[in-house]
Amino acid sequence: MATVFLNGNYLPADEAKVSVNDRGFLLADGVYEVTPAYRGRLFRLERHLARLRRGLAALRIERAVDDLPAMHERLLAENGLADAEMAIVYLQITRGVAPRTHQFPAGPVEPTVYAFAKAFQRPDDERWGRGFSARTVPDQRWGRVDIKSIALLPNVLAQQAAVEAGADVALLVRDGIAIEGAHANVFGVFDGVVCTHPASHQILHGISREYVLELAREAGIGVEERPIPLDEMRRADEIFFTGTTTEVYPIVRLDEAPVGKGVVGPVARRLREAFIAGTLA
Ligand code: PDD
């Protein structure tokens, strides 16, 4: 039985209970984070927590929350993941329990803080080396997707549409621009230059996206942050997604058409290698 964290306590998952009046349950009034740990070491935790703090500030959930780094460490340990090759810690904070109203509760309310840890496995080299497929789906999300809100219905429906169409992942498109995936950022490679959407309100500012941009710069690969029209993306030499549970994820088919030569390209290979090396350094 997994041990989870709920409001200051570590307890078996089936004993962790949240009120039906939790504003997360009723209104999706909260934010979340997913942080990876490699061989028990949390990777870029401070950046994940900084993004979480920005989200909490945007939602005006103001109460300072417990010692989150220690909580992450302890959850890994309690679940036997202190030495695991890869694991993730999921953390969710909602505004708390209060009678349902659209405006904030009248009095002060304790936020609900919930977290769990679990082992995570990347695709093996053979599977990764065959690449993955993406399906374009209209981006029907709100205008502040830089906030890592727990309201993920458009992401869920987009990913489901992609899977039902036989693809591995959704590529969200808005006003003719390839924005990002349903749970990952997207990059195109054009003549050796790595391009991705700017960190605006229209994408989640992925910690892996930022990491891959750093790795590309360090490797002397050209980098551009600009909106990429879908028509141009269809002509990319390579496409790959990035994310905590995605790492570097090469797309070799987009809407049934091959991407570039239809095989995993050299830039994705190089960046994946650097990505994994960096997590173990
Ligand atoms: N998803 N874009 C979206 C819409 C995401 O949901 C995510 C992460 C990313 C990548 O962000 P990062 O590199 O910081 O993981 C981009 C998480 C993992 C999830 O929902 O499970």
Side-chain angles (χ1 to χ4, degrees):
M1 168 71 60
T3 296
V4 303
F5 175 91
L6 182 63
N7 298 330
N9 301 307
Y10 295 84
L11 67 177
D14 67 355
E15 288 175 25
K17 303 278 190 273
V18 178
S19 166
V20 290
N21 283 321
D22 193 277
R23 288 178 61 96
F25 179 58
L26 292 175
L27 299 157
D29 187 357
V31 289
Y32 76 107
E33 267 305 324
V34 185
T35 305
Y38 294 90
R39 298 192 184 153
R41 280 191 20 230
L42 289 146
F43 188 66
R44 300 202 158 194
L45 176 61
E46 268 321 308
R47 291 170 202 239
H48 285 271
L49 294 182
R51 183 172 64 187
L52 180 78
R53 282 192 294 273
R54 287 198 300 275
L56 290 171
L59 270 60
R60 292 164 53 201
I61 296 178
E62 276 148 9
R63 181 182 157 276
V65 197
D66 323 79
D67 184 350
L68 293 175
M71 184 275 282
H72 279 68
E73 302 279 0
R74 179 154 168 205
L75 257 191
L76 289 170
E78 297 264 350
N79 287 283
L81 297 169
D83 302 312
E85 195 61 27
M86 291 176 68
I88 55 141
V89 178
Y90 174 95
L91 165 64
Q92 164 168 331
I93 301 180
T94 74
R95 195 177 307 281
V97 177
R100 183 179 184 275
T101 57
H102 281 71
Q103 75 271 25
F104 296 170
V109 170
E110 283 290 290
T112 301
V113 183
Y114 168 61
F116 66 82
K118 67 170 193 176
F120 176 73
Q121 254 191 325
R122 63 169 65 101
D124 64 28
D125 290 349
E126 186 279 322
R127 176 67 197 89
W128 189 90
R130 281 189 277 125
F132 300 90
S133 60
R135 176 85 180 191
T136 53
V137 181
D139 186 357
Q140 295 181 322
R141 300 173 302 164
W142 70 323
R144 284 301 307 276
V145 303
D146 55 312
I147 298 170
K148 204 163 167 54
S149 156
I150 59 172
L152 291 174
L153 184 57
N155 308 58
V156 166
L157 294 178
Q159 179 62 17
Q160 182 62 20
V163 168
E164 285 177 5
D168 295 305
V169 287
L171 172 59
L172 303 178
V173 178
R174 181 187 289 257
D175 300 330
I177 303 294
I179 301 279
E180 66 174 329
H183 56 80
N185 294 115
V186 68
F187 286 70
V189 182
F190 303 92
D191 293 326
V193 176
V194 161
C195 301
T196 194
H197 197 286
S200 67
H201 288 176
Q202 286 195 312
I203 66 162
L204 185 78
H205 302 188
I207 309 301
S208 321
R209 169 189 178 282
E210 191 183 34
Y211 176 40
V212 165
L213 287 171
E214 286 172 28
L215 293 173
R217 289 190 180 104
E218 280 166 21
I221 297 171
V223 160
E224 276 180 22
E225 292 177 74
R226 61 173 175 87
I228 306 168
L230 177 60
D231 289 347
E232 186 184 349
M233 194 63 115
R234 291 193 195 284
R235 297 191 304 271
D237 302 318
E238 297 181 38
I239 297 175
F240 57 87
F241 283 25
T242 64
T244 292
T245 50
T246 313
E247 300 189 318
V248 176
Y249 187 89
I251 302 298
V252 297
R253 293 190 78 74
L254 177 59
D255 291 337
E256 303 301 326
V259 175
K261 297 191 173 90
V263 294
V264 177
V267 176
R269 283 187 188 282
R270 194 163 163 202
L271 289 172
R272 182 202 199 213
E273 213 168 279
F275 189 108
I276 293 173
T279 63
L280 300 175

